[in-house]
């Protein structure tokens, strides 16, 4: 029996219950993994609230790291005793151990701790597809990145710095702005005290940026479009302030033949070989020292409701993990 955080109804953090569940043996293509740490992500809040509805009851969590305890038939890339980490569907990481599909579980290098592994997979692989798989971004290009002091943001700042990409950041306090700059942003705009659209235009000589990476959603969407240069690319990859409302497609033509996409990590890592290659490239960034995984918040599994409250209140910086 393993302790597991589940929800039986969509709603606020108060919906979490800690229960004991039985863990079975892995079937073909599956493994059983004993978690040492679990990552916390905004997608967990979307699933809990019902913004991304799911069948209930359900354990939440998309990301964790631990040790492989058992391997099902056909699994070739993992063995019993291997250190491993993942960010993938289906949800169910808020638990001490689980049986799950093996294809997107990745061998974790010894140089990376379990907490780092749990904190980096979803956010790091997200950063990977933003910079390498969504639209061509070359050395010297300019990217606007919102929420730059958050989990994805701090990795993105370091990723951009490591590849010579100019990153203009936004964040909600002077302290968060300083953190973004410390991690590689050229400049960080406090959106609570400055007209960030006007500032971006100023910083780019009125031209606008090549790419916007926006996980905030409703609050920043229109302004983000106004920050793009003609033919610029908008990547809307999250809804921290709520989903983007419907808009007229003709706006993209009016603002300079802009391009837009709404990607998800899970489409990018659906193929086993692609997922493993992306993870290997991410791990190389970390083991080389180009990216450091900053874990600023730790909560016990039993305190998962408080962890969600803290995340939704935007009181976090860097990464957040649940400890086991």
């Amino acid at each position: 029996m393993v302790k597991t955080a589940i929800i039986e109804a969509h709603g606020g953090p108060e919906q979490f219950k800690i229960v004991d569940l039985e863990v079975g043996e892995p079937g073909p293509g599956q493994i059983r993994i004993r978690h040492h740490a679990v990552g916390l992500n905004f997608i967990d809040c979307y699933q809990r609230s019902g913004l991304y509805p799911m069948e209930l009851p359900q354990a939440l969590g998309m990301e964790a790291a631990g040790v492989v305890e058992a391997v099902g038939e056909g699994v070739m890339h993992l063995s019993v005793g291997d250190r491993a980490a993942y960010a993938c569907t289906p949800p169910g990481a808020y638990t001490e151990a689980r049986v799950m599909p093996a294809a997107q579980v990745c061998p974790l290098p010894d140089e990376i701790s379990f907490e780092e592994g749990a904190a980096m997979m979803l956010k790091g692989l997200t950063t990977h597809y933003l910079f390498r798989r969504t639209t061509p971004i070359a050395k010297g290009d300019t990217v606007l990145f919102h929420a730059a002091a958050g989990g994805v943001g701090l990795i993105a700042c370091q990723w951009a710095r490591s590849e010579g990409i100019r990153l203009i950041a936004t964040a909600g306090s002077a302290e968060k702005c300083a953190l973004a700059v410390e991690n590689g942003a050229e400049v960080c705009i406090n959106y609570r005290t400055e007209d960030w659209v006007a500032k971006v235009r100023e910083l780019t000589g009125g031209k606008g940026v090549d790419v916007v990476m926006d996980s905030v959603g409703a609050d920043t969407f229109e302004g983000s479009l106004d920050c793009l240069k003609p033919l610029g690319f908008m990547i809307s990859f999250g809804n921290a302030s709520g989903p983007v409302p419907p808009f007229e497609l003709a706006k993209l033509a009016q603002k300079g033949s802009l391009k837009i996409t709404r990607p998800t990590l899970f489409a990018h890592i659906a193929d086993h070989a692609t997922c493993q290659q992306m993870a290997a490239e991410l791990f190389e960034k970390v083991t080389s020292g180009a990216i450091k995984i900053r874990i600023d918040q730790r909560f016990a599994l039993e305190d998962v409701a408080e962890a969600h409250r803290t995340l939704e209140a935007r009181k976090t910086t860097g990464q957040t993990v649940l400890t086991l």
Side-chain angles (χ1 to χ4, degrees):
M1 305 294 287
V2 295
K3 289 182 180 178
T4 305
I6 68 167
I7 58 170
E8 296 176 330
H10 291 299
E14 71 280 357
Q15 295 295 338
F16 279 112
K17 295 183 177 181
I18 304 297
V19 298
D20 290 324
L21 297 179
E22 187 173 350
V23 181
E25 295 298 318
Q30 295 182 323
I31 63 162
R32 187 174 71 240
I33 184 169
R34 175 71 54 173
H35 291 154
H36 286 233
V38 176
L40 189 73
N41 297 282
F42 248 105
I43 192 173
D44 308 348
C45 302
Y46 303 155
Q47 291 171 341
R48 189 210 70 232
S49 70
L51 179 63
Y52 295 173
M54 60 178 62
E55 292 187 14
L56 302 176
Q58 176 68 53
L60 298 186
M62 310 291 284
E63 175 182 49
V67 175
V68 177
E69 286 190 332
V71 175
E73 181 183 352
V75 176
M76 306 299 293
H77 69 293
L78 293 168
S79 301
V80 173
D82 282 354
R83 305 171 80 253
Y86 65 86
C88 61
T89 58
Y94 289 2
T95 185
E96 293 175 322
R98 68 184 295 201
V99 169
M100 65 181 296
Q104 278 68 45
V105 182
C106 305
L108 183 67
D110 290 341
E111 301 95 320
I112 300 175
S113 72
F114 288 120
E115 285 195 354
E116 289 170 331
M120 70 184 282
M121 291 299 289
L122 192 144
K123 305 169 195 72
L125 291 173
T126 295
T127 304
H128 183 291
Y129 84 66
L130 289 172
F131 282 92
R132 291 199 173 169
R133 293 176 54 84
T134 306
T135 188
I137 303 175
K139 182 177 181 179
D141 285 350
T142 302
V143 170
L144 172 62
F145 198 102
H146 292 298
V152 178
L154 291 185
I155 295 176
C157 289
Q158 296 175 78
W159 191 293
R161 178 171 60 189
S162 74
E163 301 199 343
I165 296 163
R166 182 190 187 198
L167 190 140
I168 298 172
T170 73
S173 70
E175 293 77 15
K176 288 186 175 184
C177 282
L179 191 56
V181 171
E182 177 186 329
N183 279 270
E186 178 184 286
V187 64
C188 186
I189 305 163
N190 185 339
Y191 66 80
R192 297 188 190 276
T193 61
E194 294 187 73
D195 180 339
W196 55 271
V197 176
K199 187 66 174 178
V200 169
R201 284 287 172 182
E202 176 189 328
L203 290 167
T204 57
K207 295 178 181 179
V209 301
D210 298 286
V211 179
V212 176
M213 299 177 180
D214 188 340
S215 65
V216 176
D219 288 354
T220 53
F221 181 76
E222 288 287 344
S224 291
L225 293 180
D226 289 336
C227 289
L228 283 166
K229 64 172 56 173
L231 307 181
F233 204 106
M234 169 74 168
I235 308 173
S236 176
F237 70 102
N239 319 284
S241 66
V244 174
F247 75 102
E248 291 292 333
L249 200 60
K251 282 188 177 182
L252 300 180
Q254 295 162 6
K255 293 178 182 291
S257 296
L258 305 181
K259 293 159 281 188
I260 187 168
T261 186
R262 179 55 173 92
T264 67
L265 170 63
F266 306 113
H268 281 277
I269 64 172
D271 175 72
H272 166 71
T274 300
C275 177
Q276 298 297 322
Q277 179 61 33
M278 289 173 65
E281 292 176 11
L282 171 62
F283 293 151
E284 193 281 329
K285 286 279 190 187
V286 175
T287 57
S288 71
I291 290 176
K292 292 182 171 56
I293 304 303
R294 176 177 173 137
I295 301 171
D296 287 343
Q297 296 81 214
R298 293 173 174 82
F299 295 87
L301 179 64
E302 293 83 355
D303 296 326
V304 63
E306 183 59 27
H308 271 232
R309 292 188 187 98
T310 303
L311 183 63
E312 290 181 302
R314 302 191 192 186
K315 294 180 179 178
T316 63
T317 55
Q319 327 294 331
T320 304
V321 297
L322 304 177
T323 57
L324 299 166

